[in-house]
Short mmCIF file of all heavy atoms in Angstrom, two decimals:
data_model
loop_
_atom_site.label_atom_id
_atom_site.label_comp_id
_atom_site.label_asym_id
_atom_site.label_seq_id
_atom_site.Cartn_x
_atom_site.Cartn_y
_atom_site.Cartn_z
N ALA A 29 97.56 98.51 123.51
CA ALA A 29 97.60 99.39 122.34
C ALA A 29 99.01 99.41 121.78
O ALA A 29 100.00 99.45 122.52
CB ALA A 29 97.17 100.80 122.73
N VAL A 30 99.11 99.39 120.47
CA VAL A 30 100.39 99.43 119.79
C VAL A 30 100.46 100.74 119.03
O VAL A 30 99.56 101.08 118.26
CB VAL A 30 100.53 98.24 118.81
CG1 VAL A 30 101.83 98.34 118.04
CG2 VAL A 30 100.44 96.93 119.56
N GLU A 31 101.53 101.47 119.25
CA GLU A 31 101.70 102.74 118.55
C GLU A 31 102.49 102.49 117.27
O GLU A 31 103.52 101.84 117.28
CB GLU A 31 102.44 103.75 119.42
CG GLU A 31 102.61 105.07 118.71
CD GLU A 31 103.34 106.10 119.53
OE1 GLU A 31 104.50 105.83 119.90
OE2 GLU A 31 102.73 107.12 119.84
N VAL A 32 101.97 103.02 116.17
CA VAL A 32 102.65 102.88 114.89
C VAL A 32 103.46 104.14 114.66
O VAL A 32 102.96 105.25 114.83
CB VAL A 32 101.60 102.69 113.76
CG1 VAL A 32 102.29 102.64 112.40
CG2 VAL A 32 100.78 101.45 113.99
N SER A 33 104.71 103.95 114.29
CA SER A 33 105.55 105.11 113.96
C SER A 33 105.90 105.07 112.48
O SER A 33 105.86 104.00 111.86
CB SER A 33 106.82 105.12 114.83
OG SER A 33 107.55 103.95 114.61
N ARG A 59 101.37 113.51 113.85
CA ARG A 59 100.78 112.20 113.49
C ARG A 59 100.07 112.35 112.15
O ARG A 59 99.63 113.43 111.77
CB ARG A 59 99.75 111.76 114.51
CG ARG A 59 100.32 111.45 115.86
CD ARG A 59 99.24 110.90 116.79
NE ARG A 59 99.82 110.42 118.01
CZ ARG A 59 100.37 109.21 118.14
NH1 ARG A 59 100.38 108.39 117.15
NH2 ARG A 59 100.89 108.85 119.29
N GLY A 73 97.17 107.44 111.38
CA GLY A 73 97.43 107.73 112.78
C GLY A 73 98.85 107.50 113.23
O GLY A 73 99.15 107.64 114.41
N ARG A 75 102.70 107.99 114.17
CA ARG A 75 103.45 109.13 114.73
C ARG A 75 104.73 109.27 113.94
O ARG A 75 105.47 108.31 113.74
CB ARG A 75 103.76 108.87 116.20
CG ARG A 75 104.52 109.99 116.87
CD ARG A 75 104.72 109.73 118.36
NE ARG A 75 105.41 108.47 118.62
CZ ARG A 75 106.73 108.33 118.71
NH1 ARG A 75 107.51 109.37 118.58
NH2 ARG A 75 107.26 107.15 118.95
#
Side-chain angles (χ1 to χ4, degrees):
V30 177
E31 181 180 61
V32 176
S33 59
R59 294 184 171 278
R75 181 176 57 90

